[in-house]
Structures are given as C-alpha cells and as structure tokens.
Amino acid sequence: MNFEKLTFRAVTARPVLVPLRRPIVSKVGLFDQWPMILIELATEQGIVGRSYLEPYLKHAARYIVPAIQDLAEQRKGLAIRPIEDFQNGRRALNLIGYEGVSMIAVAGLDMAAWDALAKAAGMPLAVLLGGSTGPVPAYNSNGLWLTEVAGLGDDARALVAEGGFKALKLRLGRDRLADDLAAIEAVRSAAGADIKLMVDFNQGLSLGDALHRCHALDRQGLTWFEEPIIYDNLAGYAQLTRELATPVQLGENFYGPRALHQALSMGAGDYVMPDLMRIGGVTGWMRASAIAGAAGVEMSTHLYPEFSAHLMRVTETAHWLEWQDWADPILAAPFELNDGFLMVPNRRGAGVEWDEDAVRRYQYDG
C-alpha cells in the first residue's frame, strides 16, 4: 500500500481496567487495577493504527477521551501526517494549555498514526524510523514496591526469573533510612550482588529529606536515584545532581521536548526517562531524543514498553527500557523477553494488537 496516501477516517477510544499481578504500593498511590485507554485510528484504506494510554486515574478517561475525539473530528478525510498533526493538535489546544490533557490526547493519536503508517508501509515501526528490529536492554519494574522488607527477597527472585533480568527497580522512601538500607540488602541478597538496582522515590521526599536520604545512600552502588522530589523543582534537581555521586534520573513528567531541554539546560539530572503519554508520543520522543543526543545524556523509557522498544532502537543515547507487563492481559501477542532483553518483533507497525475477549472483559464506562 502507498502509505503516503493513507487517509484518516475515524477514531475510537475504549477505557479498560486491567488487573495487576502485583498491586502497586508507592508514594503516588495504591493500585490493584490499571486504567488504560485503547485507541484505534481507522483509515479509509482499511489500515487501523493502535495505541494505548495509561492515565493512572480510572476516571481520567472522562476528559481524555473527549479531547481525543475532538482532535480526531478535525482530521477526517485528511492525509495522516504525524509530525504535522502533532503540531496542529498542540496549536488547537494551546488555549487550555500545552500540558496535561492536551498533550496526552495528542500523544495517543500520534502513536496510533505512526502505527498506521508503519503498517501501511509493511514494516515495523523501528524500521520505518530508520532503524532495525532486535533486542533492547530492559530492567524489570513489576514489583519491589513499598511493601514489607521481609517479602522483598522472594519478590526479587521472581522478578529476575520472569525474563532473565540483570536489573530491577526498587522503590524507596520508607519512614526510616534503616528500612531503605534493609530493602537494598534484601534484594541484593536474593537477586545476587551483581544485580543492577534502579531506585525510585516517586517524588516522595522534600528537598531537605532528599539531600539527607540520598547522601546516606550514595555509596550503595545504585544505578540511579529516580525522582526523589516533586518533578517540577528543577532547581532542587540541579542541586542534587551537583552534590550526589549516584546519577539522578528524572523525566517521566516532562510534558513535551522543550521541558526536557529546560531541565538539561539547568543541569537538573544525569539521565532522562520520558513517558510517551507526556513527551508527545513518537513525534515528541524523536524530538526529545535529538536534544538528549546532542547533550550526550543517556535516555531511558517510562512505561509503554512496546512502543518504547521500537524507539530505543533509533535513539542515539538509548540506555534502559522499563519493562512491566501491565498491558499484557489485553494484548494478543506480548513481546518476548530473552536474557534481560525485550525483543522487538518483526511485525508491521508497533506490533500492538488487542485480545478482544479480554478487552470486553475489562472494559468500563470511565
């Protein structure tokens, strides 16, 4: 098919609530179900582009879905041009702000549009973007929450076994420093001394607490400190980055590539890890990755392991992919893991298709 002639027809967006194998227990909340919005972009040529969003709050679909539909209404009958659509979509919503729902709606449509283009071109998304399919180094982010330290060892062993992982994410920020130290020791004792540990505070500390806690943990050989403080305190992140030996990671709350540029220009972090829903989908990621590449800053992913894996194959400073199986219950064919790598399959598009029986089972009204 001539993908240059691909034309927008309609979009559907369906909220689902997917059960989690391991409930999330973190500073940002407690979840035993995970809300998702499944997007299908239908074209006049019969190609359907798919993507999904993970808005954290199940009722968020009430205002995200109408924003997606409003953007889609403006595109009926037009050629699918993701970069132009990204820019026009942002302009269309700038009167209510570039961040939040505006960017989330644009990002969801952007990912579906790129999926449709790659399918029409008959190639995987990574190949359409100029790269290749293959392995992407990943860490397991499926557990090690702020739960009892006594259970972390068993959790760590199970997480390693899920895909031969050599790296895990551990959540920290317990009331006592001694408990965070005990958590690190429990995971290393169970998973092996060579396991790479990324630790995430989920914005749970004040700047003063973060200075105290992170300095105390600075000799633990951790791979990074992720989001110790509220995400928009860039001056605080710059101070932590200057003072700490352990690399500071942030970026899942960057809304658009310019937010990433601002953080890097302030020295607010050693690593970045954009979230596709917030950075602006595939288009936003590609623009952000060019900025990170020019700065020589390593770039990891946040959620969306399927789309993210394709993008890591074309990212100059690609670092680590965050893997979790939260979308797997509604996917027809989840990506394979092999010895700590997520394998980008040789499928058309992003390789994301729904298990419709599961979608019907988990669908809700929002």
Side-chain angles (χ1 to χ4, degrees):
M1 178 179 292
N2 186 349
F3 71 95
E4 294 181 357
K5 297 186 181 298
L6 204 62
T7 306
F8 191 101
R9 182 168 65 85
V11 69
T12 59
R14 295 178 288 174
V16 294
L17 268 179
V18 179
L20 293 171
R21 287 195 299 124
R22 296 184 184 90
I24 295 171
V25 182
S26 76
K27 293 290 186 179
V28 297
L30 310 176
F31 303 86
D32 57 11
Q33 294 177 302
W34 193 240
M36 301 173 63
I37 300 171
L38 310 185
I39 299 171
E40 293 184 329
L41 190 165
T43 67
E44 296 291 354
Q45 292 73 24
I47 297 288
V48 177
R50 292 180 174 83
S51 68
Y52 64 86
L53 297 169
E54 299 176 272
Y56 296 86
L57 307 174
K58 65 180 183 180
H59 297 309
R62 295 175 181 174
Y63 36 89
I64 294 173
V65 169
I68 292 170
Q69 292 170 336
D70 284 348
L71 286 173
E73 187 66 27
Q74 300 171 27
R75 300 184 187 173
K76 284 186 177 179
L78 299 178
I80 292 178
R81 301 282 188 267
I83 292 176
E84 291 182 11
D85 292 343
F86 177 86
Q87 294 172 179
N88 292 336
R90 296 201 75 195
R91 291 191 191 105
L93 296 172
N94 72 340
L95 292 178
I96 58 170
Y98 279 127
E99 300 184 355
V101 173
S102 298
M103 179 59 88
I104 291 169
V106 167
L109 282 176
D110 180 86
M111 288 188 279
W114 279 106
D115 180 51
L117 276 185
K119 285 176 177 173
M123 58 184 66
L125 176 60
V127 176
L128 180 70
L129 295 173
S132 61
T133 58
V136 178
Y139 66 88
N140 195 337
S141 189
N142 259 339
L144 300 181
W145 300 104
L146 288 179
T147 51
E148 293 294 329
V149 172
L152 293 178
D154 289 340
D155 201 9
R157 280 186 286 268
L159 292 170
V160 168
E162 283 180 351
F165 286 99
K166 310 298 189 299
L168 305 174
K169 177 175 282 185
L170 169 66
R171 280 72 181 183
L172 295 184
R174 291 166 172 80
D175 290 340
R176 301 190 315 149
L177 169 62
D179 292 331
D180 274 353
L181 288 166
I184 294 168
E185 175 60 27
V187 172
R188 284 200 169 129
S189 294
D194 292 335
I195 197 77
K196 291 184 181 296
L197 274 186
M198 294 76 169
V199 301
D200 188 355
F201 293 92
N202 290 117
Q203 307 178 68
L205 305 177
S206 67
L207 178 57
D209 288 340
L211 288 166
H212 173 74
R213 183 68 59 101
C214 293
H215 275 297
L217 296 172
D218 213 6
R219 296 185 180 181
Q220 291 296 310
L222 301 167
T223 301
W224 68 54
F225 291 138
E226 182 178 334
E227 285 201 331
I229 60 177
I230 191 72
Y231 77 90
D232 60 356
N233 184 357
L234 295 183
Y237 275 101
Q239 182 178 352
L240 290 166
T241 302
R242 287 192 303 270
E243 292 193 17
L244 297 170
T246 304
V248 174
Q249 174 76 276
L250 79 163
E252 68 186 70
N253 290 290
F254 290 158
Y255 276 100
R258 290 178 182 172
L260 182 147
H261 179 267
Q262 181 186 10
L264 293 186
S265 67
M266 294 179 61
D270 299 287
Y271 300 146
V272 290
M273 55 181 311
D275 176 289
L276 284 173
M277 180 179 77
R278 297 187 178 111
I279 202 66
V282 174
T283 300
W285 177 281
M286 295 298 285
R287 292 181 172 184
S289 68
I291 296 168
V297 172
E298 289 174 295
M299 192 162 167
S300 294
T301 71
H302 182 257
L303 304 182
Y304 309 96
E306 303 83 18
F307 273 88
S308 295
H310 284 271
L311 291 167
M312 290 291 271
R313 297 287 300 179
V314 294
T315 295
E316 179 183 357
T317 54
H319 196 196
W320 285 95
L321 181 134
E322 180 181 37
W323 183 78
Q324 64 289 117
D325 63 0
W326 303 344
D328 282 10
I330 53 88
L331 294 179
F335 289 13
E336 292 182 5
L337 292 161
N338 183 14
D339 200 27
F341 291 84
L342 188 65
M343 309 303 294
V344 179
N346 188 22
R347 304 177 195 159
R348 294 188 313 150
V352 171
E353 304 288 340
W354 315 135
D355 176 342
E356 286 294 343
D357 288 339
V359 171
R360 284 189 288 271
R361 188 159 60 249
Y362 300 129
Q363 194 163 351
Y364 79 108
D365 292 334

